[in-house]
Amino acid sequence: MSEASSSDEYGSAGSSDLVNGEVDTTRVPLKVENLEKRFGGITAVDGASFEIEKGSMTGLIGPNGAGKSTTFNCITGTHAPDGGRVEFNGEDITGLAPHKVANRGLVRTFQIARELGEMTVLENMMVAPKGQRGEALWRSVLPYVRDDVKAQEREMLERAWEMLEFFDIDHLANEYAGNLSGGQRKLLEMARALLTDPQMLLLDEPFAGVNPSLEERLLEHIHELRNQGYTFLIVEHDMDLIMQNCEKVIVMHQGRILTEGTPEDVRNNEDVIEAYLGGEV
C-alpha cells in the first residue's frame, strides 16, 4: 500500500481506504470529526471535520479568526474541545494532555517559536527525546545503571548533532537559543520536534517572520522529510506557498471547513475566491 495518494484522490475515504467497513488508519492516521471549541459566546471551531492521509503534505488556510490555530490546539491537547472527536492511528485522543498526544507521535510547532532562550541550541535539542533514562534520579546515581544512562546520552547527542546538521544550524550549537534570529528559531523548533520521533507534524505558520533564503531552506527540509515518510499538516497565511507545495488544501471559514481538495480545486472554488482571494487567484 502506498504511503500517500495522488493529488486527485482527496476527500472522503473511498473503498480502497476501508478495512472491514472502517477507515484504514494506516493510510489515514489523523481523523477529526465535528470538532467544536467555544470561548464564552464565541464559537472558534464549529463542527470541523477532515482527514489527513499518511505521507501527505496538507495545507490549512483561512483568514485571521478562521479557527486554524484553535483547531491545532484542540487536536494537540492545548485546548480541550467542547465537542467532536480526534483520532490518531485509530485511537481516540480527544482532550488528552499535550505531552500524551506528543508521546503518541503527533507533534506540533508554534506560530511563535518556543525555544528555551537561556539554554544553548544543543541543550534545547537534548531535552527533546522521549524516554530519557537519566530523568530518573536513581538511574543517574547508582553505579550499576549509570553506564546505561551515559550510553543513551551518547546516542541522543549523536542524533542531536545529525539533526542540527540536517537543518544547517550545527554551527550554532553552542549559541544561546535566545540569541537566534526568527528563522533560526523556526529551524531549531522543527529540529527539536523531530527528535521526539513523531509520525506526523503539525506546523503552525512555520514561515512567518522567516527571510526568503531561510524559507526556501525550510521548504527543502520539509519536502525531504515528507519523502522519508513524515506526514505534515501546515497552517500558513501565504496561500501561494501552500498552493505550490501541498497536494491537498483545507480551507476554514468562521470555524467551519469551507472546502477541501487539490490546489487546483481550491483555486477554482467560487466560495474560496469570493471569501479569501478577492476574485483573483
Side-chain angles (χ1 to χ4, degrees), residues 156-171:
M156 292 189 301
L157 183 60
E158 182 178 349
R159 287 188 60 214
W161 275 109
E162 289 174 353
M163 201 61 65
L164 290 175
E165 291 171 2
F166 178 79
F167 283 97
D168 302 318
I169 53 174
D170 51 306
H171 62 289

Side-chain angles (χ1 to χ4, degrees), residues 26-265:
T26 63
R27 186 166 182 173
V28 183
L30 180 64
K31 184 176 182 181
V32 177
E33 293 182 322
N34 300 316
L35 195 65
E36 296 180 0
K37 182 60 185 178
R38 294 180 291 276
F39 298 99
I42 299 174
T43 301
V45 182
D46 189 6
S49 298
F50 57 86
E51 297 174 356
I52 305 298
E53 294 191 0
K54 184 177 181 181
S56 67
M57 187 184 301
T58 302
L60 180 61
I61 65 173
N64 288 330
K68 307 181 300 298
S69 291
T70 303
T71 297
F72 263 32
N73 289 336
C74 290
I75 291 172
T76 57
T78 305
H79 295 328
D82 294 309
R85 180 182 176 93
V86 179
E87 289 186 9
F88 186 64
N89 288 334
E91 179 186 2
D92 184 359
I93 62 168
T94 313
L96 285 185
H99 71 278
K100 293 183 178 180
V101 175
N103 283 339
R104 284 160 172 77
L106 183 60
V107 176
R108 58 101 38 101
T109 64
F110 291 86
Q111 184 175 345
I112 299 175
R114 300 188 177 186
E115 75 287 343
L116 301 170
E118 296 184 1
M119 297 173 65
T120 68
V121 167
L122 185 58
E123 288 169 342
N124 268 262
M125 296 292 289
M126 291 296 288
V127 301
K130 297 181 290 188
Q132 297 192 37
R133 300 183 186 111
E135 292 176 348
L137 180 61
W138 66 272
R139 287 196 178 107
S140 300
V141 297
L142 293 180
Y144 60 90
V145 292
R146 191 184 306 160
D147 289 344
D148 188 41
V149 172
K150 290 181 177 179
Q152 186 193 46
E153 286 183 348
R154 286 193 295 269
E155 292 175 2
M156 292 189 301
L157 183 60
E158 182 178 349
R159 287 188 60 214
W161 275 109
E162 289 174 353
M163 201 61 65
L164 290 175
E165 291 171 2
F166 178 79
F167 283 97
D168 302 318
I169 53 174
D170 51 306
H171 62 289
L172 298 170
N174 295 318
E175 180 65 71
Y176 285 110
N179 295 335
L180 301 182
S181 70
Q184 291 168 340
R185 292 178 184 184
K186 293 291 180 88
L187 292 171
L188 171 59
E189 185 165 50
M190 189 173 296
R192 189 174 57 185
L194 287 168
L195 279 187
T196 66
D197 295 324
Q199 297 177 37
M200 181 173 176
L201 286 159
L202 280 64
L203 308 182
D204 194 352
E205 297 199 31
F207 309 104
V210 177
N211 67 50
S213 62
L214 276 178
E215 178 182 295
E216 184 176 354
R217 188 191 311 173
L218 188 53
L219 272 170
E220 290 174 356
H221 293 318
I222 292 173
H223 279 288
E224 185 171 345
L225 291 166
R226 181 272 177 92
N227 291 336
Q228 294 175 16
Y230 288 94
T231 304
F232 288 91
L233 177 60
I234 305 173
V235 163
E236 180 56 48
H237 278 292
D238 187 338
M239 284 181 283
D240 287 338
L241 187 151
I242 289 295
M243 296 292 185
Q244 293 167 11
N245 291 278
C246 295
E247 64 265 34
K248 178 181 177 181
V249 180
I250 301 170
V251 184
M252 289 195 73
H253 176 52
Q254 296 180 350
R256 300 178 181 179
I257 304 300
L258 181 63
T259 189
E260 61 180 287
T262 67
E264 189 65 23
D265 291 337

